[in-house]
Amino acid sequence: MDFTTAIEAVKRDWLGHVRVTEDDVSPSMLRRIAAMLDLDPDAYPRGALLPPHWFSMFACESARQSDIGPDGHPNKGVILPPIPLPRRMGAGRRVRIPGELRVGDALVKKAEVAAIEPKQARTGTICVLTMRNTFEVGGKVVAVDEFDAVYREAVPPGTKSPVNEGVAAPTDAAWSETKHLPPTLVFRYSAITWNAHRIHYDADYSRAEEGYPNTVQNGGLTMQLLLDAAVRNAPAHRLAGIGARLTRPIYVGDTVTLVGTAVKEGRMEAWVADRDGRLCAQMELDFA
């Protein structure tokens, strides 16, 4: 079966498919999350209001060990559609946060396959999968998170994964924070979100099979750290929405700069720059 025919079959079988996951926003999980983010583990007792964007660390998928593939992701068709390309990476998000989440809440996530779009890119054939994750408490929407994952062709053994040369990050910042990304931080975030993708912890696999020079920083963690920094630098505002895009890989062990503008008319621009000043992630934040 050729690629076009295979993709049409996947779209026919999977578009609109919804998977429901329930989770408790438990004090024990909040202790782990706070500690991972270098915060006081006792700062979030039962009933405490959480930062708006922390919803994404709950109701994570839990594939059985026998369903894990050679790259550490669940096998195709177990949780996500069986898109016939071997490599998957996070790319971008669009988020609305109309509600609140508190410690002790019973959270429900409804994960819908919203779009499957094959494309021709500079690196070859790709396919963009969009998942629409709706988080609810007591039947009320807390957040809607549309997440894009890019599926790509494999690189030939021994060759480098194609990476764009990058552009210089903006310099019109109102605030900035320097952040080191040690392996322990990436490990703890991956454990909290139950992410076993081997490029984040297995350097031999990352180099030999996927063509990267080192283990790759988890994109979800990059967004989490940038959001935490942005919220810290907008204390008089409540986060209500996010648009984000990852533009260049960051590697475990790197030191990056989290940067942003002041809030103006309810909006902030924020970004991540690597040690050479190249743009690695961009974000637009809406505040109430």
Side-chain angles (χ1 to χ4, degrees), residues 23-30 33 43-55 58 97 99-108 135-138 140-143 238:
D23 200 3
D24 292 322
V25 184
S26 67
S28 61
M29 179 60 86
L30 263 300
I33 290 172
Y44 297 94
R46 190 173 297 276
L49 181 66
L50 298 185
H53 56 290
W54 282 22
F55 69 86
F58 294 92
I97 313 175
E100 296 180 339
L101 191 62
R102 293 182 179 274
V103 183
D105 281 344
L107 185 66
V108 176
F135 295 80
E136 299 179 354
V137 172
K140 295 182 179 179
V141 175
V142 171
R238 181 193 177 277

Side-chain angles (χ1 to χ4, degrees), residues 208-228:
E209 298 297 328
E210 302 222 15
Y212 292 107
N214 197 357
T215 45
V216 180
Q217 159 75 350
N218 189 309
L221 176 57
T222 300
M223 293 187 190
Q224 177 70 40
L225 296 173
L226 184 57
L227 282 165
D228 284 344

Side-chain angles (χ1 to χ4, degrees), residues 3-228:
F3 178 76
T4 300
T5 302
I7 282 291
E8 289 303 314
V10 173
K11 291 170 72 172
R12 182 178 62 250
D13 294 340
W14 281 80
L15 277 177
H17 180 269
V18 177
R19 182 181 177 94
V20 178
T21 304
E22 298 182 359
D23 200 3
D24 292 322
V25 184
S26 67
S28 61
M29 179 60 86
L30 263 300
R31 289 181 59 83
R32 296 183 181 96
I33 290 172
M36 181 265 297
L37 295 172
D38 205 24
L39 301 172
D40 180 2
D42 297 319
Y44 297 94
R46 190 173 297 276
L49 181 66
L50 298 185
H53 56 290
W54 282 22
F55 69 86
S56 62
M57 290 184 282
F58 294 92
C60 300
E61 298 288 357
S62 301
R64 295 174 59 169
Q65 185 62 29
S66 58
D67 286 330
I68 295 295
D71 62 354
H73 282 311
N75 286 318
K76 291 178 170 59
V78 173
I79 292 173
L80 296 178
I83 292 172
L85 289 170
R87 300 174 60 197
R88 173 164 67 90
M89 294 285 289
R93 294 169 70 192
R94 294 159 301 282
V95 182
R96 295 184 295 106
I97 313 175
E100 296 180 339
L101 191 62
R102 293 182 179 274
V103 183
D105 281 344
L107 185 66
V108 176
K109 182 180 79 172
K110 299 175 181 177
E112 178 186 359
V113 180
I116 300 171
E117 296 294 338
K119 299 180 180 181
Q120 282 298 129
R122 179 181 57 85
T123 57
T125 300
I126 66 171
C127 187
V128 180
L129 167 68
T130 300
M131 297 296 299
R132 181 180 298 116
N133 297 320
T134 302
F135 295 80
E136 299 179 354
V137 172
K140 295 182 179 179
V141 175
V142 171
V144 179
D145 186 347
E146 288 194 349
F147 175 82
D148 297 328
V150 174
Y151 289 74
R152 299 165 57 186
E153 297 172 318
V155 296
T159 63
K160 293 182 179 180
S161 181
V163 175
N164 70 67
E165 294 182 1
V167 298
T171 57
D172 55 335
W175 58 267
S176 67
E177 299 182 9
T178 300
K179 186 68 178 179
H180 180 53
L181 306 172
T184 49
L185 174 61
V186 181
F187 171 84
R188 294 176 100 187
Y189 178 82
S190 293
I192 284 169
T193 57
W194 209 233
N195 184 329
H197 193 184
R198 288 172 65 185
I199 65 170
H200 302 314
Y201 60 89
D202 185 338
D204 290 340
Y205 173 87
S206 187
R207 295 188 187 106
E209 298 297 328
E210 302 222 15
Y212 292 107
N214 197 357
T215 45
V216 180
Q217 159 75 350
N218 189 309
L221 176 57
T222 300
M223 293 187 190
Q224 177 70 40
L225 296 173
L226 184 57
L227 282 165
D228 284 344

